[in-house]
Amino acid sequence: MLDARAAIVTVGRWLDGKGWAPATSGNYSMRLDNGNFAVTVSGRHKGRLTENDIMSVDADGRSLDGKKPSAETALHLALYSSFPDVGAVLHSHSPAAVGLTRAFPGAYGYLLAGHEMLKALPGVTTHETEVTIPIVDNSQDMAEIEAAITPRLLAAGAPPAYLIRGHGLYGWGRDMVEAERVIEAIEWMIAAELAEMGFREGSGR
């Protein structure tokens, strides 16, 4: 648990430094060796986390130390349940990721194609490929989001990430290092896509 706490505090500062964790947004978690999970507590600024702001829950989301987890802990646990190899889950709130999903209100996925950065995703070895990041509508009911996104994530070829419309990006990996790489790569590609759209509009193409 001590290693997980330190890793989550570090990633919170990193994401805040990127501008991807404004106010108290975002939540992060890691799978523990004993079958439980380390998660961020509710309502803390992620750039100012201390190890006391990391708590543990069981597989049903019950607090094991009397602290209050984020409401979105259920979305983390759904990923751990669906993908036994997942060891860490991150949720970022960048302006680019939120803006992209708001700009395409009818889209239920966004295609990333030809980016060199695609090779940062697990199992991808060439830029000559494409990946569709699923988009699900936001809800205050986590069960609604889980029911909408889980079947799509279990489909063959699904990436280790999805977007919640107007809310942000979820990404995961076998460990915290891989989860960070997934989040950073997808956030970069989204920002690049939006920059390209701006250049094209500016040039009249």
Side-chain angles (χ1 to χ4, degrees):
M1 182 66 174
L2 290 176
D3 289 345
R5 284 176 175 164
I8 291 173
V9 167
T10 298
V11 82
R13 291 173 181 167
W14 172 70
L15 285 163
D16 179 56
K18 293 279 191 181
W20 299 344
T24 61
S25 66
N27 35 78
Y28 322 128
S29 67
M30 289 181 66
R31 189 192 297 270
L32 301 175
D33 291 340
N34 63 5
N36 295 322
F37 302 90
V39 302
T40 44
V41 300
S42 178
R44 296 290 196 277
H45 191 292
K46 304 310 182 296
R48 302 170 194 156
L49 291 173
T50 69
E51 293 192 7
N52 194 47
D53 296 322
I54 315 302
M55 61 176 296
S56 57
V57 298
D58 65 16
D60 295 317
R62 290 186 291 257
S63 172
L64 299 176
D65 47 22
K67 298 176 183 178
K68 180 183 178 183
S70 164
E72 293 178 44
T73 297
L75 299 180
H76 291 243
L77 297 178
L79 292 168
Y80 290 120
S81 176
S82 296
F83 304 104
D85 290 339
V86 170
V89 178
L90 299 175
H91 175 33
S92 56
H93 280 247
S94 76
V98 171
L100 181 79
T101 60
R102 288 171 60 88
F104 298 95
Y108 284 87
Y110 189 84
L111 181 69
L112 296 170
H115 286 280
E116 182 71 14
M117 199 62 66
L118 284 167
K119 295 192 295 184
L121 302 182
V124 178
T125 59
T126 175
H127 72 281
E128 295 177 337
T129 189
E130 57 187 39
V131 170
T132 297
I133 307 300
I135 302 173
V136 63
D137 285 333
N138 196 14
S139 174
Q140 297 305 303
D141 184 344
M142 298 303 108
E144 284 188 9
I145 296 177
E146 179 185 343
I149 197 62
T150 298
R152 299 170 65 191
L153 297 177
L154 292 173
Y162 69 91
L163 290 155
I164 301 177
R165 195 180 314 282
H167 187 95
L169 173 68
Y170 267 86
W172 54 93
R174 290 168 294 181
D175 52 29
M176 185 62 82
V177 172
E178 186 169 271
E180 288 180 33
R181 188 166 65 246
V182 166
I183 285 284
E184 187 167 25
I186 293 176
E187 289 281 13
W188 187 94
M189 287 186 280
I190 288 172
E193 291 277 320
L194 293 174
E196 181 179 355
M197 292 176 202
F199 285 127
R200 286 182 173 177
E201 289 178 2
S203 66
R205 291 174 58 190

